[in-house]
C-alpha cells in the first residue's frame, strides 16, 4: 500500500510551507506529494496569505526534491486550456526528471471562478472529455508529426505537439463519485482512479464500475491503479488525536467515521479495510501543514506496518 501526502493549500499556505512539507514527505519515505488546485479557501479557514498556483508550486518542488512523485488532485479543467496544460505538465515533468502525475477533473467550485474572473461553463464533463483526449493525444503524437483535434469545445490544427514529457507516459488520474460518465472516462483515459472521501461501501461500488468500464474499453480492469483520498488525524494517544482534530476544526468521532483517525493501530486497521475494498494507494489529506510531527508519526508507526 503506497501512502502519499495530499495538501489543500487554498486553506492557507505559502510556497515555503509547501516546500517544507514536500521535503518532509521525501525524507520520511512517503511515495508522493500532491496538492489541490483551488484559488479560494473553503469553510471557516482564512486562507491567508492567499492562494498559490498548483503547477507553479509543482515546478518549484520539481527542482527542490529528488525522489517523490508530484501531482494534483485534481487540476481543474476550467482553469487551463488543454493545449497550454499539456505544455505546462510536460515542462514540469522535464524539470523533475520524470516524476509528475496529472490528476484532471472538470472543476466544480463556482465561487472561486467568480472571485477571480474565470469562466464557469455549464457543460463541464463534455469539456473534460475533450481535454483528456487533447492532452494525452498531444503527448502521444510522434516527434515530427502534428496533432489535430476538432471537437465541440476545442479546435487544434497542425499542432507540433511539443514539448514532450520526460516520461514516456505521464500517469493520468481521474476521480469522483459519478456513476456513469466518470467510470467511462476513467476506463478510457486513466492510469489511476481515485475515490475521494468515500465510505468503504461506496469505494467498493465505484471501483467495480471503473473496472467494468476499463474492461469495456478493451484495456482490462487491472490496467488502472485504484486509490482513495482520506483525511488523516493520527495520534499516539486519545489526547493527541483530540488535539489534532481540534486544530483542523473537526470532531474525533466524525473523523474516525469518515477518514483515517485514531491511534496508529486503528488507522492501519482501517487502511486494511480499504485495501480489501480494492485500494492500492492512499492519499492522506493533511490539513495542518505546520505539524510535521504528525507526518513523522504516520511514517514511523503507520507506513512502517504497511510496508
Amino acid at each position: 500500500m503506497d501512502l502519499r501526502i495530499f495538501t489543500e493549500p487554498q486553506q492557507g499556505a505559502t510556497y515555503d510551507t509547501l516546500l517544507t512539507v514536500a521535503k518532509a514527505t521525501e525524507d520520511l519515505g512517503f511515495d508522493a506529494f500532491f496538492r489541490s488546485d483551488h484559488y479560494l479557501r473553503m469553510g471557516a479557514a482564512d486562507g491567508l496569505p492567499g492562494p498559490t498556483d498548483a503547477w507553479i508550486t509543482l515546478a518549484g518542488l520539481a527542482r527542490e526534491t529528488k525522489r517523490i512523485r508530484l501531482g494534483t488532485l485534481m487540476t481543474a479543467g476550467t482553469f487551463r486550456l488543454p493545449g497550454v496544460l499539456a505544455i505546462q505538465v510536460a515542462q514540469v515533468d522535464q524539470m523533475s526528471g520524470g516524476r509528475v502525475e496529472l490528476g484532471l477533473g472538470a472543476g466544480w467550485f463556482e465561487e472561486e471562478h467568480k472571485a477571480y474572473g474565470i469562466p464557469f461553463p455549464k457543460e463541464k464533463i463534455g469539456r473534460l472529455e475533450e481535454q483528456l483526449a487533447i492532452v494525452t493525444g498531444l503527448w502521444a503524437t510522434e516527434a515530427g508529426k502534428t496533432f489535430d483535434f476538432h471537437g465541440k469545445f476545442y479546435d487544434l490544427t497542425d499542432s507540433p505537439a511539443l514539448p514532450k514529457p520526460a516520461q514516456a507516459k505521464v500517469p493520468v488520474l481521474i476521480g469522483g463519485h459519478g456513476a456513469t460518465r466518470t467510470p467511462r472516462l476513467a476506463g478510457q483515459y486513466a492510469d489511476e482512479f481515485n475515490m475521494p472521501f468515500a465510505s468503504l461501501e461506496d469505494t467498493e461500488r465505484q471501483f467495480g464500475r471503473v473496472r467494468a468500464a476499463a474492461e469495456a474499453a478493451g484495456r482490462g480492469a487491472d490496467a488502472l491503479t485504484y486509490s482513495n483520498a482520506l483525511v488523516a488525524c493520527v495520534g499516539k494517544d486519545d489526547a493527541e488525536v483530540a488535539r489534532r482534530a481540534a486544530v483542523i476544526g473537526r470532531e474525533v468521532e466524525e473523523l474516525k467515521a469518515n477518514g483515517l483517525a485514531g491511534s496508529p493501530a486503528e488507522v492501519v486497521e482501517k487502511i486494511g479495510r480499504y485495501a480489501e475494498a480494492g485500494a492500492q494507494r492512499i492519499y492522506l489529506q493533511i490539513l495542518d501543514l505546520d505539524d510535521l510531527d504528525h507526518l513523522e508519526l504516520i511514517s514511523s508507526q503507520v507506513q512502517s506496518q504497511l510496508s
Side-chain angles (χ1 to χ4, degrees):
M1 176 70 73
D2 292 335
L3 293 187
R4 294 181 160 191
I5 300 302
F6 170 43
T7 62
E8 302 272 8
Q10 75 278 355
Q11 300 301 93
T14 65
Y15 171 76
D16 286 339
T17 297
L18 296 172
L19 174 59
T20 298
V21 174
K23 286 187 172 181
T25 297
E26 186 158 84
D27 292 343
L28 292 170
F30 293 104
D31 183 60
F33 174 95
F34 272 57
R35 60 157 291 164
S36 61
D37 187 22
H38 288 293
Y39 292 138
L40 193 67
R41 62 102 179 99
M42 301 169 193
D46 60 23
L48 296 176
T52 51
D53 182 84
W55 285 100
I56 291 176
T57 296
L58 295 176
L61 298 180
R63 306 303 290 178
E64 300 197 67
T65 57
K66 303 293 185 186
R67 177 187 60 80
I68 50 173
R69 307 289 295 176
L70 300 166
T72 50
L73 285 181
M74 300 284 185
T75 291
T78 48
F79 289 176
R80 297 169 176 86
L81 296 171
V84 175
L85 180 62
I87 292 169
Q88 291 172 318
V89 177
Q91 183 177 4
V92 178
D93 195 51
Q94 292 172 1
M95 293 168 70
S96 71
R99 294 184 284 123
V100 158
E101 304 186 10
L102 171 63
L104 184 59
W108 61 271
F109 189 21
E110 186 172 5
E111 288 81 357
E112 68 187 336
H113 294 74
K114 292 178 178 178
Y116 286 96
I118 303 168
F120 189 69
K122 290 183 179 179
E123 295 185 67
K124 293 183 286 296
I125 297 296
R127 289 176 183 272
L128 174 62
E129 184 163 7
E130 290 192 9
Q131 290 163 351
L132 287 163
I134 291 166
V135 171
T136 58
L138 286 168
W139 291 337
T141 299
E142 293 181 24
K145 295 186 177 181
T146 59
F147 176 80
D148 291 81
F149 182 91
H150 307 293
K152 179 179 178 181
F153 304 103
Y154 303 101
D155 197 284
L156 287 74
T157 301
D158 291 334
S159 172
L162 297 171
K164 300 300 186 191
Q167 297 174 87
K169 176 72 172 69
V170 172
V172 172
L173 289 74
I174 295 174
H177 296 251
T180 304
R181 291 180 294 181
T182 296
R184 180 177 61 80
L185 289 179
Q188 184 174 357
Y189 290 106
D191 299 285
E192 178 176 336
F193 178 77
N194 180 263
M195 189 60 168
F197 313 113
S199 67
L200 288 158
E201 295 75 17
D202 288 345
T203 292
E204 189 168 18
R205 185 180 305 114
Q206 188 71 331
F207 283 174
R209 292 175 181 139
V210 174
R211 293 179 71 87
E215 294 281 3
R219 299 178 60 203
D222 293 335
L224 282 73
T225 296
Y226 297 86
S227 64
N228 286 90
L230 294 162
V231 63
C233 182
V234 189
K236 63 180 182 294
D237 53 37
D238 290 346
E240 191 166 82
V241 175
R243 176 180 63 78
R244 289 197 164 113
V247 168
I248 63 174
R250 304 278 286 269
E251 297 294 329
V252 171
E253 291 309 310
E254 179 268 322
L255 287 168
K256 286 188 176 184
N258 298 313
L260 299 173
S263 68
E266 288 178 284
V267 170
V268 168
E269 189 275 335
K270 185 80 173 281
I271 289 174
R273 290 160 64 193
Y274 275 95
E276 291 173 0
Q280 300 162 291
R281 178 175 290 156
I282 301 289
Y283 293 81
L284 302 171
Q285 185 194 44
I286 303 297
L287 295 176
D288 181 3
L289 299 182
D290 295 319
D291 187 0
L292 298 183
D293 289 341
H294 192 198
L295 298 185
E296 196 284 327
L297 177 68
I298 296 170
S299 172
S300 64
Q301 297 194 36
V302 176
Q303 181 172 241
S304 61
Q305 295 188 58
L306 297 173
S307 57

